[in-house]
Amino acid sequence: MKTSLILGVSVLSLSLGFGAAAQDAKFDLSQQIGPDPVLPEPSPSLMPDLKVAEVVGWKENEAPKVPDGLKVTPYAKDLANPRTVHTLPNGDVLVIQSRGPEGEPTSRPKDFIRGWIMAIAHGGGGGEQKESNMITLLRDTNRDGTVDERHDLLKKLDSPFGVAWVDNTLYVATTSAILAYPYELGQNEISGQPKVLIPLPGGPINHHWTKDLALSPDGKMLYVSVGSNSNIVENGLEAEKGRAAIWQVDRQTGAARVFASGLRNPNGLTFNPETGALWTVVNERDELGPNLVPDYMTSVKDGGFYGWPWSYYGKHVDARVNPTRQDMVDKATPPDYALSSHVAALGLTFSMNSALPAAYANGAFIGEHGSWNRDSFNGYKVVFVPFQNGKPNGKAQDVVTGFLDGDKTRGRPVGVGIDGTGALLVADDAGNTLWRVASADGKVTPQPIGTDQVSASQQVSSTEKTGRLPDAALSVSRETTASTTTSNAAPAAQTPASADERLTGQEPLSGQPDKFLPAQMQVAPATGP
């Protein structure tokens, strides 16, 4: 039945879509990997190109493929849509299992077809699905690469994705809020009720629902990704309020500002341990043909604007977006590194603190979930991009492959991370497995290194150090959709709410105006302090 559905959609796509023929079917995708990708002419179509791999899962003793010098083993099986992984300072690994919220309204007829085929691509078999939307702790007590204990810390969450830990607090970014849970290292359960640090843009549309999270190296700020509510604003600019952006959130007060914008669907928020710069991977726009637009990895600049929706890969204008905004196009910053079109990059982690062979000593691993808007597959693997002096240096290399098998796939990689022994972890949300990729010689790090690399001396709140809320966290951008000019207005003079006041009594979690939320009425450059 599933195969017939795929064939039916493929026939429909061929009969109604005219975009693929306008772009060279023999296009060399390697030309789109690097800092200066080759971009063919756009070729939008009535129906998007559709080709996804049916999920069949992993059979006993099957595993992905890795190059010589590496060894891959299952770290945890029988999970329920594992999306991201996070290593705590004591080496415990958190795996975040999540399904997107249901009931998103469709705005275009083609959305019905896209939703139909994407359901096939994510597996599930159509029957009763295992409970997801939970966070599970995995503990390797003797650091031999095998999980000895498994504990479900949190259940029945609202589509969680990103987490961070500092000051005995576990921060969880669900699709509608950042929650703060009391949690001490070594605990096997979380029983305390969370406080709402800040609501995030949620439903009812909630097109890109994943909200990733990163902790600043000084421990003061959280950075959260908020994807767009559409492909190219077909739901209107008002639906994009505060979206297609990365927010900076003061973790003591919940005060927020837009740190960077014009990022259609950013994920994999990670600080480079060598330079301290924030990096992300971004899913770019669809329906411009099979070879546009390249997804990318980039450093994120404070106040940076990266083009969406008016332009892509710098100042390449998207003619589908109206009204046009040349002023916004002129502000667009080109990304650092293209990954080629439609790979759906969702995970990013740096290798500097790993115990992997020397070939992977300095660079970034990227989880590519796999294409749907192409006439041939792209992605469905984990790649490694070498770095030098804090920047990408060389072509992406395949590291974890073997997910695809003809027109079927055993799994789809999402989040990546480094475990407490220095091995690479890969969350496979369709194969319901967490894979561990280690050095074949058994090398491990001397001690665990957590995902959040914050020293104990830095784990002191900014309010304790300064006695006041940072000015940058209070800056708010105010815009109206009718204007092309931006004015900055500080909140009315008043004493900022205390942390306890900010973290309680906020219902519902999304949708209500709040003086601590970015007040952008449309996608616009982030405003500095």
Side-chain angles (χ1 to χ4, degrees):
M1 178 61 179
K2 287 183 180 178
T3 302
S4 65
L5 291 177
I6 294 176
L7 290 174
V9 173
S10 298
V11 171
L12 182 61
S13 178
L14 288 173
S15 64
L16 297 179
F18 306 100
Q23 291 182 6
D24 187 358
K26 297 181 180 179
F27 183 81
D28 181 4
L29 281 172
S30 68
Q31 300 176 92
Q32 289 190 331
I33 299 176
D36 189 22
V38 173
L39 304 178
E41 288 298 313
S43 52
S45 57
L46 178 62
M47 286 299 300
D49 299 295
L50 290 171
K51 185 178 177 67
V52 297
E54 178 189 353
V55 176
V56 296
W58 299 92
K59 296 179 181 178
E60 190 69 26
N61 298 322
E62 285 186 339
K65 299 176 182 178
V66 294
D68 292 342
L70 298 176
K71 178 182 179 181
V72 60
T73 55
Y75 196 65
K77 294 182 175 181
D78 300 320
L79 298 167
N81 303 107
R83 306 279 186 172
T84 56
V85 291
H86 188 95
T87 300
L88 296 171
N90 65 349
D92 288 348
V93 170
L94 304 181
V95 54
I96 293 82
Q97 302 160 80
S98 187
R99 293 193 187 102
E102 298 180 353
E104 178 186 342
T106 54
S107 58
R108 307 169 300 169
K110 66 179 73 173
D111 291 340
F112 288 99
I113 297 174
R114 180 184 178 277
W116 173 33
I117 200 167
M118 290 305 290
I120 298 171
H122 285 88
E128 183 177 354
Q129 293 184 312
K130 187 176 179 180
E131 180 183 5
S132 186
N133 292 327
M134 59 196 297
I135 297 178
T136 299
L137 182 146
L138 306 173
R139 180 172 294 142
D140 175 6
T141 55
N142 57 1
R143 307 185 76 233
D144 66 350
T146 302
V147 173
D148 302 301
E149 299 179 27
R150 178 168 166 169
H151 307 278
D152 293 334
L153 292 183
L154 294 168
K155 292 186 174 183
K156 302 186 183 305
L157 296 170
D158 184 16
S159 298
F161 197 82
V163 298
W165 183 89
V166 67
D167 287 348
N168 291 328
T169 303
L170 180 66
Y171 296 93
V172 179
T174 72
T175 196
S176 57
I178 299 178
L179 306 178
Y181 291 87
Y183 177 74
E184 296 184 13
L185 295 180
Q187 288 183 330
N188 297 333
E189 62 180 11
I190 293 179
S191 56
Q193 292 299 306
K195 294 179 178 179
V196 180
L197 179 62
I198 186 172
L200 298 172
I205 300 175
N206 210 11
H207 183 68
H208 289 122
W209 59 269
T210 55
K211 308 294 199 301
D212 208 359
L213 204 60
L215 179 70
S216 64
D218 63 7
K220 296 178 182 179
M221 298 290 175
L222 292 168
Y223 293 81
V224 58
S225 62
V226 184
S228 70
N229 235 345
S230 61
N231 182 33
I232 46 159
V233 294
E234 57 267 22
N235 295 318
L237 284 172
E238 180 65 20
E240 305 298 343
K241 180 179 177 180
R243 284 183 170 268
I246 294 172
W247 295 12
Q248 182 190 67
V249 181
D250 185 280
R251 69 179 188 86
Q252 295 297 321
T253 65
R257 68 181 181 109
V258 171
F259 182 78
S261 59
L263 300 151
R264 178 177 174 269
N265 186 22
N267 284 287
L269 298 188
T270 307
F271 281 91
N272 185 328
E274 180 182 15
T275 65
L278 179 65
W279 285 73
T280 186
V281 288
V282 176
N283 283 203
E284 252 292 355
R285 67 204 70 200
D286 298 317
E287 303 174 25
L288 284 177
N291 302 317
L292 280 181
V293 171
D295 296 333
Y296 60 84
M297 168 180 64
T298 192
S299 58
V300 184
K301 299 176 176 61
D302 190 352
F305 175 70
Y306 293 84
W308 190 90
W310 293 283
S311 65
Y312 57 86
Y313 224 87
K315 297 174 174 54
H316 294 83
V317 175
D318 191 333
R320 300 172 297 174
V321 182
N322 286 296
T324 59
R325 288 287 301 272
Q326 188 60 44
D327 61 321
M328 302 301 290
V329 174
D330 292 342
K331 296 175 183 177
T333 298
D336 287 299
Y337 193 92
L339 298 166
S340 75
S341 295
H342 307 299
V343 297
L346 290 173
L348 172 66
T349 193
F350 286 97
S351 66
M352 288 68 160
N353 294 312
S354 75
L356 297 172
Y360 308 103
N362 188 347
F365 293 103
I366 299 166
E368 298 182 349
H369 201 224
S371 61
W372 69 268
N373 186 207
R374 299 190 80 250
D375 44 15
S376 59
F377 295 126
N378 196 19
Y380 294 90
K381 60 187 177 182
V382 177
V383 301
F384 175 77
V385 178
F387 269 54
Q388 186 175 15
N389 299 322
K391 292 290 185 180
N393 180 45
K395 288 289 188 180
Q397 308 160 16
D398 291 355
V399 177
V400 190
T401 59
F403 292 89
L404 279 172
D405 182 14
D407 284 345
K408 302 180 186 298
T409 188
R410 300 177 179 93
R412 303 181 76 186
V414 190
V416 289
I418 305 299
D419 76 0
T421 69
L424 174 69
L425 294 178
V426 180
D428 173 0
D429 72 336
N432 292 321
T433 303
L434 185 60
W435 300 101
R436 181 177 184 267
V437 180
S439 180
D441 61 9
K443 180 183 177 182
V444 298
T445 55
Q447 64 274 327
I449 300 176
T451 301
D452 299 316
Q453 296 171 44
V454 181
S455 67
S457 62
Q458 292 170 324
Q459 294 185 15
V460 179
S461 72
S462 60
T463 53
E464 290 174 338
K465 288 182 176 180
T466 66
R468 65 181 180 86
L469 185 68
D471 293 337
L474 283 175
S475 69
V476 178
S477 167
R478 300 182 185 275
E479 289 204 359
T480 61
T481 55
S483 174
T484 59
T485 60
T486 303
S487 62
N488 298 328
Q494 55 185 306
T495 302
S498 69
D500 285 342
E501 289 171 335
R502 278 293 305 134
L503 299 177
T504 58
Q506 298 185 50
E507 296 292 339
L509 296 185
S510 62
Q512 295 301 316
D514 188 291
K515 67 180 180 180
F516 289 99
L517 295 181
Q520 291 182 307
M521 297 302 292
Q522 65 183 55
V523 180
T527 55

